[in-house]
């Protein structure tokens, strides 16, 4: 059980790293810990607004609200960071899909 908790904590810091890089790229560098806490708040808001399909709009609004109140980020920069976060999600979905396609091809060719 504790291993699962440790893996979850590490995953939050890795996802917080996405916000860290996004804010740094947008010219408003923030420390890693507040960015990780921003990701924890994002996950909490995603669970609260579970009924919104793929949290469209609620995720970006929640990130903007939390970023403004956590480390006084400008609303435009917070929304841009949220969009960059979505792009990273899309990238990883594409990478997973590509790996799935490659795995299916390799399993067909081995038969």
């Amino acid at each position: 059980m504790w291993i699962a908790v440790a893996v979850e904590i590490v995953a939050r810091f890795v996802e917080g790293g996405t916000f860290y890089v996004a804010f740094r790229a947008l010219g408003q560098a923030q420390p890693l810990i507040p960015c990780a806490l921003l990701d924890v708040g994002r996950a909490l808001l995603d669970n609260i607004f579970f009924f919104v399909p793929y949290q469209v709009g609620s995720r970006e609004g929640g990130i903007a609200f939390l970023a403004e109140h956590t480390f006084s980020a400008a609303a435009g920069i917070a929304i841009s960071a949220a969009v960059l976060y979505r792009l990273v999600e899309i990238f990883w979905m594409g990478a997973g899909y590509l790996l799935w396609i490659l795995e299916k091809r390799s399993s067909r060719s081995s038969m």
Side-chain angles (χ1 to χ4, degrees):
M1 178 180 109
W2 292 108
I3 293 172
V5 172
V7 168
E8 178 66 21
I9 290 170
V10 169
R12 291 291 164 211
F13 277 98
V14 170
E15 286 188 19
T18 303
F19 285 118
Y20 176 78
V21 170
F23 280 112
R24 184 172 285 280
L26 294 168
Q28 191 172 5
Q30 301 295 332
L32 182 61
I33 300 297
C35 288
L37 293 175
L38 179 65
D39 186 63
V40 170
R42 178 213 47 88
L44 178 66
L45 288 174
D46 284 354
N47 288 327
I48 291 171
F49 293 108
F50 69 93
F51 54 87
V52 178
Y54 200 58
Q55 293 87 24
V56 175
S58 64
R59 176 178 287 181
E60 287 76 11
I63 290 170
F65 176 79
L66 291 171
E68 287 176 24
H69 290 84
T70 304
F71 39 75
S72 301
I77 291 178
I79 295 294
S80 297
V83 169
L84 288 173
Y85 187 86
R86 289 277 189 183
L87 291 174
V88 169
E89 283 182 331
I90 291 170
F91 169 78
W92 285 116
M93 282 186 242
Y97 182 71
L98 181 63
L99 289 173
W100 179 62
I101 295 294
L102 293 175
E103 189 274 329
K104 284 186 90 170
R105 283 187 184 170
S106 68
S107 67
R108 285 185 191 163
S109 64
S110 64
M111 289 184 174

